[in-house]
Amino acid sequence: MCDSKTSKAELLAPCGNFKTLKAAVQSGADAIYLGASKFSARAFAENFDVRKQEQGQKQEQGQEQKQGLAEAISFANSHGVRAYVAINTLVTDREMSEAMYIVEHAYEAGAAAFILQDIGLAAAMKKRYGNIALHASTQTTAKTLDDVNALHRMGFSRVVLARELSREQIKEIARSCQAELEVFVHGALCSSYSGQCLMSSFIGGRSANRGKCAQPCRLPYAAAAAQKKGVLLSLKDLCLIDHVAELSQMVASLKIEGRMKGEDYVRTVVGAYRAVLDGKQLSEKQRAKLFNIFNRGGYTDGYYTGERDEMYMDVLKNPYKKHERK
């Protein structure tokens, strides 16, 4: 049986800058995940610089001083919140030394774990730091028990499952796997498996596996045979707020997507999931606020429940229209 916590799962929140970091901590996150200025699957988030700010350093007029990665990790740790550093793009051979520099900087600053896609980088980190905690990113596309066990043998203590799995699939993996499991419970869904989509790379030369996805699947298209026009490839956002109790018995960590999202989004979503994890009932006002915060055409639990119908996709609708989850 997987090592999911006996009481309730960890609540893991996204942080793209220091404002969202503070919002996550203040809203009750048990852990946060954040990226450095390079090798993050969210390259266009503000992220955190690995170079320490010199005391008394003057910032250019009109510019806000960028917070360092070490400072962000220290802030989380000082509030009893674990900090996981996402170095979750593919890394080329010539970039390995730079990636390891970021690892060293974050490790010495007190990072609790590292989220990785590149298994070569994982091997190098294990060789240098034998006791380092590694989490396999959803970019590794772990969707079966064999996938999870193979990653565990490579040195990953936790595996972030593919977002496309159903309740039954997660339960089956959790019953027999050797690693901790983490699942996404809220945020963006892709029309392809994470780590496997090359659409952005083919169309515009911006690879999702290098953190630069242009999200062409969110754009409008026309299907001539079906005589349809609209955002035909754009899925609604994921929301598993009504399944938290059963999920917390199967997995170790409940993850919220959103390192590109703002402070209000992080505060609202983390606060709602914190309340439910603590056994509280959300008021109608709280549910309305959760369901009307940023989303792409509404929310779905389609993969998890297997109830995938025409409401699962955001066909013929504005992908940024806000409305309550059906």
Side-chain angles (χ1 to χ4, degrees):
M1 183 71 179
C2 281
D3 183 17
S4 60
K5 294 185 177 181
T6 54
S7 54
K8 56 189 175 187
E10 162 193 274
L11 181 59
L12 178 57
C15 298
N17 55 43
F18 214 82
K19 288 181 179 178
T20 53
L21 168 59
K22 288 182 177 179
V25 170
Q26 292 167 359
S27 301
D30 297 305
I32 55 95
Y33 64 103
L34 68 172
S37 50
K38 288 195 72 173
F39 310 116
S40 162
R42 291 293 181 268
F44 300 113
E46 187 174 331
N47 292 317
F48 297 85
D49 202 329
V50 298
R51 290 177 291 278
K52 297 178 181 178
Q53 302 289 346
E54 297 293 337
Q55 192 166 13
Q57 180 184 13
K58 293 182 180 179
Q59 59 194 74
E60 293 184 22
Q61 189 173 4
Q63 286 188 343
E64 183 179 350
Q65 182 170 307
K66 192 172 182 179
Q67 302 288 354
L69 181 62
E71 184 177 359
I73 294 170
S74 177
F75 178 85
N77 289 344
S78 69
H79 289 80
V81 174
R82 295 176 290 281
Y84 304 150
V85 178
I87 308 180
N88 56 338
T89 65
L90 296 178
V91 180
T92 67
D93 289 347
R94 66 180 62 185
E95 293 171 333
M96 191 63 73
S97 60
E98 188 177 4
M100 288 299 290
Y101 173 77
I102 295 173
V103 170
E104 180 182 9
H105 182 84
Y107 184 78
E108 291 180 353
F114 293 82
I115 306 169
L116 308 176
Q117 175 186 8
D118 195 296
I119 59 175
L121 177 61
M125 290 169 66
K126 273 294 184 182
K127 185 176 181 180
R128 182 175 298 183
Y129 308 101
N131 64 339
I132 199 165
L134 304 182
H135 296 176
S137 170
T138 190
Q139 297 291 117
T140 61
T141 325
K143 56 189 185 296
T144 68
L145 177 60
D146 286 343
D147 293 339
V148 173
N149 286 342
L151 288 164
H152 184 259
R153 289 193 296 271
M154 292 178 196
F156 291 96
S157 58
R158 179 184 293 185
V159 176
V160 187
L161 291 177
R163 301 177 218 203
E164 298 76 20
L165 300 186
S166 68
R167 172 195 287 116
E168 290 70 26
Q169 289 171 313
I170 295 172
K171 188 179 297 184
E172 181 180 352
I173 294 171
R175 190 180 297 118
S176 306
C177 73
Q178 317 223 340
E180 286 185 346
L181 296 180
E182 180 176 302
V183 295
F184 279 92
V185 293
H186 200 95
L189 287 173
C190 298
S191 54
S192 175
Y193 279 106
S194 298
Q196 301 297 314
C197 183
L198 298 175
M199 189 175 182
S200 177
S201 181
F202 284 160
I203 291 176
R206 286 171 48 174
S207 172
N209 287 310
R210 298 284 288 169
K212 298 179 179 180
C213 182
Q215 299 191 356
C217 59
R218 306 297 183 191
L219 299 176
Y221 293 95
Q227 297 184 334
K228 285 186 178 181
K229 292 182 180 180
V231 279
L232 304 179
L233 299 176
S234 182
L235 275 66
K236 295 180 179 180
D237 279 14
L238 173 69
C239 179
L240 297 182
I241 192 76
D242 295 326
H243 306 285
V244 163
E246 64 180 353
L247 272 169
S248 65
Q249 298 302 311
M250 291 191 281
V251 303
S253 181
L254 306 180
K255 186 172 194 171
I256 297 167
E257 183 273 341
R259 282 192 285 149
M260 299 284 288
K261 306 287 179 33
E263 178 184 2
D264 187 48
Y265 177 92
V266 171
R267 193 179 301 279
T268 297
V269 177
V270 173
Y273 278 85
R274 176 77 275 157
V276 173
L277 261 175
D278 290 344
K280 298 174 183 176
Q281 188 90 17
L282 290 184
S283 67
E284 287 302 313
K285 184 177 180 180
Q286 287 174 309
R287 288 180 71 87
K289 187 174 182 181
L290 174 66
F291 294 152
N292 285 282
I293 203 73
F294 177 92
N295 62 72
R296 296 173 178 84
Y299 288 109
T300 182
D301 58 8
Y303 278 125
Y304 186 74
T305 61
E307 297 175 3
R308 289 175 281 178
D309 55 19
E310 68 276 4
M311 295 304 296
Y312 182 57
M313 305 287 286
D314 188 28
V315 177
L316 304 178
K317 293 179 182 175
N318 182 336
Y320 300 107
K321 181 181 178 182
K322 297 178 181 179
H323 59 79
E324 289 196 12
R325 173 173 169 261
K326 302 296 183 183

